[in-house]
Amino acid sequence: MPIKQWIASETGAKAEQVAKGYLIDQGLGFITENFRCKAGEIDLIFKDMQQFVFVEVKYRETDSHGSAAHMFTRAKRRKLERAIMCYLQALDLNLHHTSLRIDLIAIDKQNINWIQNV
C-alpha cells in the first residue's frame, strides 16, 4: 500500500474512533463499525432507541479543498444506501419495516459537526 494511502487510512480510522466516542457520549447505542459488503462500506452503525443509525464519517485537516461535510456527495450517499441494503439483508430485515436514518459526522480540524438525517 502506498504510504500516502496508508496515512489516509490511519487518519480515517482515528476520525472514526473520535466519531464513535462522540456518538456514544450523545447516548446512541453502538452496534458495529466498518461493515463491508460488495456494495460498499458503512463506517459506523448505532441504534437510537429503536432506530438504526448509519453513520458516514468525513475528516478534513484543512478546508483548502472544501469542508468535511462537502465530501459527502450524492454518489457516496448512493453507495452507502446500497451497503445499508446489504446490512439489512444480512439481518433479514425489511427496508420498508425498519426504522433507520443516515447521519454524517463531519470533522474539520478539531470541530465535530453531527448532521442527522442527511
Side-chain angles (χ1 to χ4, degrees), residues 19 23 27-33 35 42-57 80 84 87-88 98-105 114-118:
L23 292 173
L28 274 66
F30 176 71
I31 296 175
T32 192
E33 58 193 320
F35 173 82
I42 304 169
D43 292 336
L44 301 168
I45 303 173
F46 285 86
K47 266 254 177 120
D48 187 4
M49 295 195 203
Q50 297 302 314
Q51 184 175 53
F52 282 96
V53 180
F54 299 95
V55 180
E56 178 68 18
V57 179
L80 179 59
I84 290 169
Y87 180 78
L88 295 176
T98 304
S99 178
L100 63 90
R101 74 175 191 249
I102 298 173
D103 289 1
L104 172 66
I105 292 286
W114 178 19
I115 306 168
Q116 298 179 34
N117 266 337
V118 292

Side-chain angles (χ1 to χ4, degrees), residues 23-91:
L23 292 173
I24 289 170
D25 288 347
Q26 300 304 310
L28 274 66
F30 176 71
I31 296 175
T32 192
E33 58 193 320
N34 299 318
F35 173 82
R36 289 181 178 89
C37 66
K38 216 174 197 179
E41 178 184 357
I42 304 169
D43 292 336
L44 301 168
I45 303 173
F46 285 86
K47 266 254 177 120
D48 187 4
M49 295 195 203
Q50 297 302 314
Q51 184 175 53
F52 282 96
V53 180
F54 299 95
V55 180
E56 178 68 18
V57 179
K58 292 294 183 189
Y59 170 79
R60 301 296 287 174
E61 192 168 318
T62 68
D63 59 3
S64 61
H65 295 340
S67 70
H70 287 108
M71 301 286 90
F72 188 64
T73 62
R74 273 191 222 138
K76 178 58 184 167
R77 182 185 169 94
R78 282 193 302 272
K79 192 170 183 177
L80 179 59
E81 288 170 346
R82 289 192 297 271
I84 290 169
M85 292 296 297
C86 289
Y87 180 78
L88 295 176
Q89 287 175 347
L91 294 180

